[in-house]
Amino acid sequence: MKIDNYKPDFMVEAVYQLDAASLKMLGIRAVMVDLDNTLIAWNNPDGTPELLNWLDEMRANDVKVIVVSNNKRERVARAVEKFGVDYIWRAMKPFALGINKALLRFDEKPGEVVMVGDQLMTDIRAAHRAGVRSILVKPLVKSDAWNTQFNRWRERRVWKKLIARDGAPVWQKKLL
């Protein structure tokens, strides 16, 4: 396992801390974002006022938001269509399939997007495979769906290797 395949380009505490001005300074035109425990808590599909405010800021500044999720179409649609957010379902992360599909569908270039997620093993790995920059965020809630718990166990092993090599991770409150 090549450890750099799991190292995020940026680490920010929450997706809602990504502001449009900083994204644009980095040449980012679109934010691809994981759904569960990144954009919304996996056990709260209704979102929060923070989510709505963040989406409004992105729209006002012409930054596209595209959900790239491994979930079924019905789950993703139910969670994000009410917010007017585009999405890719069954993204097959950690493979690049979903990110590449989003790049084609929404006419974006890898250098102008970023993938945001809460898991090294799926979101960050898929971003590296697709050649896009990555942002790791802390999970919105401490509990995970049963199918994510195995990834978290593997993720802890990867973190130990990253920390041994690079030191403790530093979580930022802002992107720049």
Side-chain angles (χ1 to χ4, degrees):
M1 163 178 24
K2 188 174 178 218
I3 202 72
D4 284 333
N5 290 331
Y6 301 93
K7 185 174 180 170
D9 294 304
F10 303 95
M11 292 174 53
V12 178
E13 291 183 357
V15 69
Y16 313 127
Q17 293 171 324
L18 300 176
D19 63 287
S22 295
L23 290 166
K24 286 188 163 196
M25 284 177 59
L26 291 170
I28 302 297
R29 296 170 20 100
V31 177
M32 294 183 187
V33 62
D34 178 49
L35 181 63
D36 290 326
N37 262 351
T38 300
L39 192 63
I40 61 173
W42 72 271
N43 56 359
N44 175 15
D46 296 324
T48 62
E50 268 183 316
L51 166 65
L52 299 176
N53 291 338
W54 183 74
L55 290 172
D56 286 346
E57 181 195 353
M58 294 301 117
R59 284 186 191 108
N61 289 281
D62 297 317
V63 176
K64 292 181 194 172
V65 175
I66 305 159
V67 169
V68 178
S69 174
N70 284 349
N71 275 301
K72 295 180 204 167
R73 179 182 210 148
E74 299 77 30
R75 162 78 176 107
V76 181
R78 187 175 70 242
V80 301
E81 281 182 346
K82 63 183 160 247
F83 305 125
V85 174
D86 288 319
Y87 59 89
I88 299 292
W89 51 279
R90 285 251 196 264
M92 305 286 287
K93 296 176 293 180
F95 302 104
L97 180 74
I99 293 173
N100 289 336
K101 192 184 287 186
L103 289 170
L104 283 172
R105 184 182 300 167
F106 301 107
D107 194 30
E108 294 297 338
K109 295 175 183 59
E112 297 176 340
V113 303
V114 67
M115 177 68 206
V116 182
D118 68 307
Q119 291 187 64
L120 295 178
M121 307 310 292
T122 55
D123 306 309
I124 304 307
R125 181 66 179 115
H128 281 290
R129 281 185 164 143
V132 304
R133 287 175 279 182
S134 60
I135 300 175
L136 183 70
V137 295
K138 292 181 178 179
L140 289 174
V141 294
K142 295 291 182 206
S143 65
D144 283 305
W146 67 269
N147 54 339
T148 303
Q149 292 174 10
F150 176 72
N151 280 346
R152 294 286 185 206
W153 173 79
R154 291 183 60 222
E155 188 173 75
R156 284 190 292 276
R157 293 177 55 215
V158 171
W159 268 122
K160 283 181 184 177
K161 291 178 183 180
L162 283 170
I163 290 168
R165 189 187 74 183
D166 301 334
V170 178
W171 293 94
Q172 305 295 323
K173 299 235 184 262
K174 293 180 69 174
L175 188 56
L176 297 175

